[in-house]
Amino acid sequence: MFRFVAAMVASIAALAFVSLPALAQTACPQGADLDAALQDAVSAFHRAGGQKKSNKTSAETARLQAYAILLWQDRSKRAIDDQEDAKWALAVCLEKDGVCGGKKHKPLANDLFKAVGRGYSSGYMNDKVYPVEMIGWAERQIGCTTGPIATPLELAAAGKLPPLDGLTGQARFDKAFGRMMAKEEGDQYPQLIQACYEKSIEACDFLASAYEIGEDSTEADKKLALKYAEYSCLQNSAFGCRFAAIYYSQGRPGIPRDDATGGLRAIKACDLGDELSCGLAAAYYSTPDTPTYSEEKTRHYRSLDCERKNNPFSCRVFGYMASNGQGGAEDKVAARAAFQTACKGDEALACMWLGAMMRSGGGGPVDVEGGRAATQKACNLGNSTACNALGN
């Protein structure tokens, strides 16, 4: 999949995200549309019982209150001077704490009740009665916003983008990625971001890579790359954990180096089968006099790094530990095999130890000629002890 990433990097730098609240997806009605919505709410209110004490907490009353608040906010109180039911509903809003999302304003509520049927006579009434909490309450009741309409990118950043053709998660990613590869019109990044939030590991892995490799990748982009890698790692992606391990272990602009966290991510990546993280996982456990030091775990992860990547250093360390019974039982056979791999990778010490084992038959058959060749290689690599052994 990642061979396709280069085709998208040109659009990466343009993306930026901030921490957003849950955003509404449609604008609240205005003008004639708001008047019509209010009248519909009045009709439903009357069908539910109208201005009765038992109707103060009905869904129809709440809907009427919401539209009345929006109308007041949009065109001041004068827009509802002839709306007796709306004024009654607004007075109910102000009777006690918590109603319509606001606080109790008893004097104001009394004035509103008195105004029902004869307009407003009190100078107490002003054009902006309602606090922002009540405007927000009205928006939530109706499912709209009086502010700017959220873009698909903003909705995705808040994890609120609607399904794509009815698809979510991995299916959303497959659809959006297919469109991207087909170069169809439209920005598919919001869909990929939403798919990541919906636990599509492929989406998270793709986004981490895309933000990392952009030619104009900024500090903010690097932080996003790590964000999506971490989210991928949480979903048990070996790639995401390794990606995060590298970021923490090396550091990036705006991301300080953190060997401890890098080690933990590498451990998880290695445990998930990643071939490239076991050496870093071993390093987390291999420093004496630290809280994380463990011979057993050092041996375990050096063994995996040797087995999966033929890492000469890890093979040499594991071979030594297995040969001497450190971090586990003595295992001359495994040690000799590890030394052979390490020696092929020009690890001088491994060549010297391999030569000694081959000459003595440790971990396998006696092979004097092979042992001498291994010792000679160690000498050629600069190991003076091996050179002295050849002299003997």
Side-chain angles (χ1 to χ4, degrees), residues 347-356 359 371-372 374-392:
E347 278 283 339
L349 278 174
C351 293
M352 183 184 72
W353 294 330
L354 174 63
R359 291 195 307 272
R372 182 171 180 81
T375 306
Q376 182 65 60
K377 183 173 182 178
C379 177
N380 294 342
L381 289 169
N383 187 286
S384 60
T385 302
C387 295
N388 292 335
L390 288 170
N392 295 332

Side-chain angles (χ1 to χ4, degrees), residues 100-111:
C100 306
K103 296 181 179 180
K104 180 166 63 177
H105 300 281
K106 195 67 175 180
L108 189 56
N110 288 336
D111 283 342

Side-chain angles (χ1 to χ4, degrees), residues 72-379:
W72 185 307
Q73 179 70 9
D74 187 49
R75 279 172 271 162
S76 84
K77 67 180 180 62
R78 287 180 292 277
I80 53 173
D81 273 346
D82 296 327
Q83 301 284 345
E84 294 184 14
D85 294 308
K87 285 183 280 189
W88 179 88
L90 292 176
V92 171
C93 275
L94 301 171
E95 283 188 297
K96 59 183 179 179
D97 288 343
V99 179
C100 306
K103 296 181 179 180
K104 180 166 63 177
H105 300 281
K106 195 67 175 180
L108 189 56
N110 288 336
D111 283 342
L112 276 167
F113 274 121
K114 291 175 184 178
V116 173
R118 57 188 176 82
Y120 291 98
S121 59
S122 171
Y124 201 143
M125 296 294 135
N126 56 46
D127 286 350
K128 300 291 182 183
V129 170
Y130 300 106
V132 67
E133 292 85 2
M134 295 180 74
I135 300 297
W137 177 86
E139 291 175 336
R140 292 192 296 275
Q141 287 293 314
I142 300 168
C144 66
T145 178
T146 56
I149 303 302
T151 66
L153 203 57
E154 290 171 328
L155 289 170
K160 299 295 182 181
L161 195 66
L164 173 63
D165 297 342
L167 304 174
T168 60
Q170 183 62 31
R172 181 200 293 271
F173 169 78
D174 291 339
K175 184 78 170 183
F177 192 76
R179 288 178 176 178
M180 180 179 285
M181 292 302 97
K183 298 183 179 180
E184 293 184 19
E185 291 187 8
D187 183 8
Q188 301 303 323
Y189 268 93
Q191 301 296 340
L192 302 178
I193 291 163
Q194 183 68 38
C196 176
Y197 285 131
E198 292 166 351
K199 299 185 178 180
S200 164
I201 291 176
E202 282 191 72
C204 298
D205 287 347
F206 171 81
L207 289 167
S209 295
Y211 278 103
E212 162 65 15
I213 70 172
E215 293 179 1
D216 299 322
S217 185
T218 65
E219 179 177 313
D221 293 329
K222 299 299 185 186
K223 290 180 179 178
L224 284 170
L226 178 59
K227 171 184 175 180
Y228 293 120
E230 285 278 44
Y231 201 77
S232 176
C233 185
L234 283 175
Q235 310 309 316
N236 293 326
S237 163
F239 173 86
C241 293
R242 185 227 301 169
F243 190 106
I246 293 172
Y247 256 53
Y248 285 120
S249 299
Q250 297 178 355
R252 289 291 190 277
I255 303 171
R257 180 171 172 173
D258 184 344
D259 289 333
T261 304
L264 291 172
R265 299 298 180 272
I267 291 164
K268 185 171 182 179
C270 181
D271 289 345
L272 289 169
D274 183 67
E275 293 183 349
L276 303 177
S277 302
C278 300
L280 190 58
Y284 180 81
Y285 291 114
S286 61
T287 304
D289 301 323
T290 63
T292 61
Y293 178 66
S294 168
E295 283 192 352
E296 181 180 3
K297 291 180 178 179
T298 297
R299 175 171 169 169
H300 171 69
Y301 287 107
R302 288 298 177 198
S303 173
L304 290 176
D305 195 35
C306 178
E307 175 187 334
R308 294 176 183 176
K309 291 298 295 178
N310 293 330
N311 183 307
F313 176 77
S314 287
C315 289
R316 189 251 290 174
V317 173
F318 167 70
Y320 181 85
M321 297 184 79
S323 177
N324 291 280
Q326 292 183 350
E330 182 181 290
D331 189 342
K332 299 291 187 181
V333 174
R336 181 163 168 169
F339 287 149
Q340 286 177 326
T341 302
C343 186
K344 289 179 182 178
D346 294 339
E347 278 283 339
L349 278 174
C351 293
M352 183 184 72
W353 294 330
L354 174 63
M357 293 186 79
M358 295 177 77
R359 291 195 307 272
S360 66
V366 172
D367 183 352
V368 176
E369 183 178 342
R372 182 171 180 81
T375 306
Q376 182 65 60
K377 183 173 182 178
C379 177

